[in-house]
Amino acid sequence: MSCKILVLISGNGSNLQALLDRIARDEIDADVVGVISNVAAAYGLTRAQQRGVKIEIIPHKGFATRDEFDRALLTAMRAYDADLIVLAGFMRILSNDIVNAFLGRMINIHPSLLPKYTGLHTHQRALEAGDAEHGCSVHFVTPELDGGPVIAQARCAVLAGDDEKTLAQRVHLLEHKLYPAVVNAFANGRLRLRDGRSEVDEVIVV
Ligand code: GRF
C-alpha cells in the first residue's frame, strides 16, 4: 500500500512540486492525499490543484488565539489519516500537541546545514559568516525548533560573488533532490525515528 502524505505549505511550494513530479513519474510509491496552507494566496495551492490534489486553507489570521489555530490545524491534519506529514515551507511554529501527535511521522526541510542557522535568513547568515559550504537538511520534527534529528543533508560550495539570491537558488535545487529522496526512504520503510535518533537503512545520495 502506498504511503499517504499530507503536505503543509505557506508559499511557493517548489518542494511540493518536486515531490509531486517524482510521484507522478512513479519514482516514489506514495500519494499526496492533501495540501494544507495557512496562507490563501500560496502558489503551492495552485500547484496542488493542477495535479488534482485536495487543498485546504486554514488561515492563522482567522483565529483569535494561537491555541485555537493549532487545535483547528491538528483536527484538520488528523482527518487525512496520513502516514507522513511533510512540512514544505510551512511558516508557522507547530504546537507541542501537533508535534507529539505525529512524532516520527513528520519531517521538515531547512535551508542550512543544521545545527548551523536554525530559524530564518539562513543564506544571509552563511554568507556573513564566510562559510565555504552551505546546503539544506531534512530532519524529523520534534518540539525543538529546527532541532529534531537530522536525516540527511545536501551541500554546495559558497562561490565568490554569491549573494543571498544566488545562494538560495543553488540550495533550492538541492532541496528538490534531497526531500523526495528522504520521502522515498520513508515510503519504503527504510527510515524511522528510534530512541530520539534518525535511523536510515540506506545512504541517501543526491
Ligand atoms: C525552502 O527553502 C525550505 O527549506 C524552507 O522553506 C522554503 C520553501 O520553499 N523550509 P518552497 O515553498 O518549497 O519553494
Side-chain angles (χ1 to χ4, degrees):
M1 209 176 62
S2 71
C3 179
K4 291 199 281 177
I5 299 175
L6 172 64
V7 184
L8 268 57
I9 63 166
S10 299
N12 181 29
S14 66
N15 279 285
L16 166 67
Q17 185 76 63
L19 190 57
L20 289 170
D21 289 349
R22 293 280 305 271
I23 292 171
R25 293 201 300 264
D26 283 332
E27 291 168 5
I28 304 175
D29 185 16
D31 281 317
V32 177
V33 293
V35 171
I36 296 179
S37 173
N38 64 312
V39 178
Y43 181 61
L45 292 171
T46 305
R47 297 180 191 270
Q49 281 178 312
Q50 283 168 351
R51 294 294 174 87
V53 175
K54 174 180 159 62
I55 63 160
E56 190 169 354
I57 301 159
I58 305 178
H60 59 279
K61 289 185 177 153
F63 295 85
T65 63
R66 176 180 282 269
D67 205 45
E68 278 176 41
F69 168 71
D70 285 338
R71 272 181 299 177
L73 180 59
L74 178 56
T75 302
M77 289 170 76
R78 281 199 161 119
Y80 289 86
D81 195 24
D83 301 305
L84 177 68
I85 313 289
V86 170
L87 304 183
F90 185 66
M91 300 304 284
R92 304 296 295 175
I93 295 174
L94 297 171
S95 68
N96 285 356
D97 280 353
I98 296 179
V99 171
N100 290 326
F102 300 106
L103 201 63
R105 292 191 291 135
M106 179 153 60
I107 57 177
N108 181 45
I109 190 157
H110 184 76
S112 78
L113 295 172
L114 290 170
K116 279 190 163 185
Y117 315 130
T118 60
L120 299 174
H121 310 300
T122 57
H123 310 301
Q124 191 59 40
R125 287 155 70 197
L127 286 168
E128 280 166 10
D131 290 355
E133 267 192 335
H134 187 43
C136 52
S137 310
V138 178
H139 63 93
F140 280 108
V141 177
T142 64
E144 191 191 340
L145 182 68
D146 300 329
V150 171
I151 299 161
Q153 296 182 315
R155 44 189 80 226
C156 61
V158 178
L159 303 179
D162 261 340
D163 57 22
E164 201 178 344
K165 198 170 160 208
T166 57
L167 190 53
Q169 278 170 348
R170 197 170 314 120
V171 172
H172 252 109
L173 293 178
L174 291 176
E175 290 186 13
H176 300 159
K177 293 182 182 155
L178 183 68
Y179 218 1
V182 170
V183 169
N184 188 42
F186 189 94
N188 289 334
R190 297 204 299 266
L191 163 64
R192 65 202 72 83
L193 181 68
R194 178 168 291 171
D195 299 331
R197 304 179 79 97
S198 149
E199 195 176 83
V200 203
D201 304 335
E202 65 184 45
V203 180
I204 295 174
V205 185
V206 297

